Structures are given as C-alpha cells and as structure tokens.
Amino acid sequence: MSTVAILTTGVANVASVAAAFHRLGTEPVTAETPEAVERADRLVVPGVGAFGAAMDRLHGLGLVAPLRKRIEAGRPTLAICLGMQILFESSEESPGCEGLGVASGVVGAFPGGVRSPHFGWNRVHPRPGPGTIEPGHYYFANSFRVAHHPAGWDAAWCEHGGAFLAAVTRGGVLACQFHPELSGTLGQSLIGEWLARSDQW
Amino acid sequence: MVTKRVIPCLDVAEGRVVKGVRFTSLRDCGDPAALAEEYMNSGADELVMLDVSATDEGRATALETVAAIRERLAIPLTVGGGVRSVSDAERLLEAGADKVSVNSAAVADPAILTEIADRLGRQCAVVAIDARKCHDGWTVLVRSGKDDARRDAVAFAVQAVEAGAGEVLLTSWDRDGTGEGYDLDLLRAVSRAVHVPVIASGGAKDARHMAEAFLAGADAVLAASIFHDREARVWDIKDELAGFGVTVRL
C-alpha cells in the first residue's frame, strides 16, 4: 500500500491529522522537502495560522513549485483549512502575498455582523458528481473563506453570512475548508474515501 | 448555519478526571481517554480538557493524557491549565490539542494571546476567564479561583480578544458545580462585547439551562458534572435542545 505524507512546515495540529490516519490503519510519514513533496504518493497539507506566514515558509523551503506541480497534475493531495486557502491567488488576510494560484480568485473575510472566527459544526451541501462529499455537519475553524466557484473544480458549499466554499476537488486533489480530521465519523469516512480513491490517480 | 455546540469538560489531575464544586473538593470521575471517546460517541461536538494538577509530576503527565485522548478523538480538543508561554502551547498542540486555553498568564500579560495567535493562528488561542460576581459587575479570578485579579471581566474579555483570542471560555465561579444554571447576565454582557464565539461554563444541570445560555448569546455550552455523573447523555441533551428550538448537530 502506498504511503501518506503530512507536510510539516510549521506548527499545526499535525497530531490530530496523524491520529485520523492511525484510526484508518495507516502510519503517515512527514514531508518537509521539495523531494518529499514530489515523491509522496499521497500528500496532506494541513494548515493553521496566517496565509502570509504559510506562504513565506513554503517559499523558504522551496516547496511552492513542487506543490503547484502536483496539484496541477491532480496527484493525490488533501489540503485542509488554510491548506485549501493557499491554493487560491491571494487572501485578504495577507494583502500583497501571492498564493499557489492553482485555483482562481481571492480568499476573503466573512462579512461584518456574523461571528468570526467561524467556529463549529456547519452543514455542507455537496454538488452531485464524482467524489461527492457526504452531506452533513463538518467542523470548521476559519476567519476567512472563498465565496466564488473557481473554474475547473467541483465544489461543495456551506453558509455563514452568505454561501462559501466548504471544499473543492479536482482529480486526486481534495481541498477542505473544514477539518475532516475533527469532523467525527463523517470526516473519518471522507479521509478514508480519499485514501481509497487516490489509488486511481 | 453553524450549530450550537455542547462541550463536555474533563478536569484532569494526575492523569484522572476529577470534578469539584467552586473549583475545590475534587472527586475522581474516571479515565480521561475512555471518557473522551464515550462523550464523542454520545454526540459531543468538541471536548475541553483542563489540567488542574496540583503538582509538577501531575502537569508532566498532562501531555501524555492529551496524546492518549487524541488517538481516540475525532472531534476538536481544547486543552488548558498552566499554559504560561507559546512553547507550552506548542507542546500541547504537538501532543494532540487543536486549541489551547490560557487563563492566569493572559491576565498577567495579554501579549501571550497575541504570540499564540501569530504563531499558531487565532483559532488556536482561547482565553479562559473565571469571573466572580461583585457589587458592580464581575471580577476576574486567577490561579484556579484563588486570587482576585481586580479586573472587570467584560473589559478583560474585550482586551483579550483584541490581543488575539479567537474564542472566550467564560466560567462563572459563583455557579461552578452548583447546578443552579449559567450566569446569564455575565453571558449577555460578554457575548455582546466581543465578536468571537463565547463558551458558557459553570452551573449547568440540564438542557433548559443550556437553552437559556444560547438565548443569552452563548455559541457553545460547557458542562462537566451532569455528564460525568451520567445524569444525561449528550445526545439526550441535544434532542431536548432541539425541542427548545436550538439548532444543534444531531
């Protein structure tokens, strides 16, 4: 069985992500070099922290080009929370900082008048199609979100001060704004399905 | 819309779950990892673990307890108790926490919240405020309720959020462990003053108390005794909450 590598470029809740894979019977390894990102059969990009700081670290470690390449190619990659946001061109969180730009558009703040951070379980509405995400409640912890549909990606939606992207998929890439590793049995099944499906890519 | 959360709290001392009244008279309530899994399976939206160890050895075992809980837990885990620095917070995250709550150290210097938010993200930084009613509002208590910091709890909540806290865990010292219901006036005052989620804590005996807290502005409710004593399962509480018109994850 092919391996799972977790990108560990900074402090994130890597332990929670690793524990989710343990429960699925997989022992993930860590990846922090361009070679490891290129080599990984399956790569997890967890993310907490700020957009700009995350991109700075990726640049510093020479990971921007290899990440772009594997995502463009649709190789099995699971991007979580901030890991999803950095796929886009930029974010209002860190003006002037470029993201990976493999998905079009800008990550924005929630509108005024709703609680932010958006903390907790919220309902996800998938669009029917291949790689469908099971509808139901998933756990979110985000202050920024994407409110448009990036061309070329399948999308699932959520609602908090207007509709925003809960997840996007393309090829073997699954990018979630929510935390599948913290979303109970639904999240656990989603990770399990990504693992199983990623054998096809 | 985001659902209202029900959060069982595990007070852990020397590797065991304990619970007291007004922060004292602790009694043993079981193994943390086993209880954590039980609560997850019975519908908990999230868990909070507070290390209330009295000794250094006890505090050292807290990291092992966090790791043991993490292996079984597929929902968010907030850990607090004795967090004094960003490196304390990082160690807890490495062990398996998703968020870290800071109490006394944030009262001494709110900059610790800024540092945690900058390094680990605002969603990791929870300020835990222990508030006690006084003649003209609520005062902040520190050191597990032993000392009065002589600070207004509402003003401190605002300051903590400005510093970087992404969530407020608001405990009423007066109500803790009493089963008399949450301090709703305190809850109203704080949830109006800040834009981040507020977790109500201290005093819950049943679903009605929790529904009252949600009406008063809480985004989540914390409870310990009613779950430890098996007075209610989390699903039963959430069913009742749904009956009161509260949007919960069922």
Side-chain angles (χ1 to χ4, degrees), chain A residues 113-186:
Chain A
V114 295
R115 286 277 198 228
S116 177
H118 169 237
F119 255 136
W121 299 78
N122 204 338
R123 187 169 282 283
V124 170
H125 308 274
R127 236 176 54 156
T132 294
I133 292 170
E134 192 72 23
H137 288 100
Y138 292 80
Y139 184 82
F140 291 83
N142 58 310
S143 302
F144 293 84
R145 89 289 184 251
V146 178
H148 65 276
H149 187 171
W153 295 78
D154 282 330
W157 295 88
C158 187
E159 172 84 29
H160 185 64
F164 72 93
L165 281 187
V168 290
T169 58
R170 192 174 72 185
V173 181
L174 168 62
C176 306
Q177 181 59 72
F178 55 84
H179 287 268
E181 79 283 12
L182 301 178
S183 294
T185 47
L186 271 183

Side-chain angles (χ1 to χ4, degrees), chain B residues 118-188:
Chain B
D118 285 350
R119 219 174 134 64
L120 307 172
R122 191 182 183 85
Q123 77 291 333
C124 282
V126 180
V127 64
I129 302 175
D130 296 332
R132 182 178 188 176
K133 187 123 193 58
C134 59
H135 64 285
D136 57 351
W138 298 269
T139 186
V140 176
L141 301 182
V142 289
R143 295 186 57 245
S144 304
K146 288 188 205 63
D147 293 345
D148 184 348
R150 298 180 186 284
R151 300 273 289 280
D152 177 72
V154 179
F156 175 63
V158 171
Q159 188 190 7
V161 169
E162 279 169 4
E167 195 164 39
V168 177
L169 169 51
L170 183 63
T171 302
S172 161
W173 181 89
D174 307 276
R175 301 297 176 88
D176 182 67
T178 64
E180 293 168 7
Y182 298 99
D183 184 338
L184 300 177
D185 293 330
L186 170 67
L187 211 44
R188 260 182 226 109

Side-chain angles (χ1 to χ4, degrees), chain B residues 52-202:
Chain B
V52 297
S53 295
T55 64
D56 290 343
E57 298 80 49
R59 272 188 292 279
T61 63
L63 287 174
E64 293 164 30
T65 306
V66 171
I69 292 176
R70 177 78 280 158
E71 283 306 312
R72 301 212 209 170
L73 200 68
I75 57 173
L77 175 65
T78 300
V79 181
V83 176
R84 309 236 156 268
S85 64
V86 181
S87 49
D88 287 346
E90 282 181 355
R91 273 193 291 276
L92 289 170
L93 243 66
E94 280 163 16
D98 300 296
K99 312 184 219 177
V100 170
S101 89
V102 191
N103 177 267
S104 305
V107 179
D109 184 4
I112 185 177
L113 294 166
T114 314
E115 289 173 45
I116 293 175
D118 285 350
R119 219 174 134 64
L120 307 172
R122 191 182 183 85
Q123 77 291 333
C124 282
V126 180
V127 64
I129 302 175
D130 296 332
R132 182 178 188 176
K133 187 123 193 58
C134 59
H135 64 285
D136 57 351
W138 298 269
T139 186
V140 176
L141 301 182
V142 289
R143 295 186 57 245
S144 304
K146 288 188 205 63
D147 293 345
D148 184 348
R150 298 180 186 284
R151 300 273 289 280
D152 177 72
V154 179
F156 175 63
V158 171
Q159 188 190 7
V161 169
E162 279 169 4
E167 195 164 39
V168 177
L169 169 51
L170 183 63
T171 302
S172 161
W173 181 89
D174 307 276
R175 301 297 176 88
D176 182 67
T178 64
E180 293 168 7
Y182 298 99
D183 184 338
L184 300 177
D185 293 330
L186 170 67
L187 211 44
R188 260 182 226 109
V190 172
S191 65
R192 272 179 201 159
V194 300
H195 62 83
V196 302
V198 176
I199 306 172
S201 160

Side-chain angles (χ1 to χ4, degrees), chain A residues 40-44 70 74-78 172-173 194 198-199 201:
Chain A
D41 298 320
R42 305 180 179 98
L43 184 73
V44 182
R70 75 173 288 139
R75 293 184 59 206
T77 308
L78 172 61
V173 181
W194 172 75
S198 61
D199 281 333
W201 302 93

Side-chain angles (χ1 to χ4, degrees), chain A residues 21-39:
Chain A
F21 284 101
H22 293 162
R23 287 188 292 269
L24 289 162
T26 302
E27 181 63 50
V29 298
T30 57
E32 46 201 5
T33 63
E35 297 72 37
V37 166
E38 280 161 23
R39 220 175 34 232

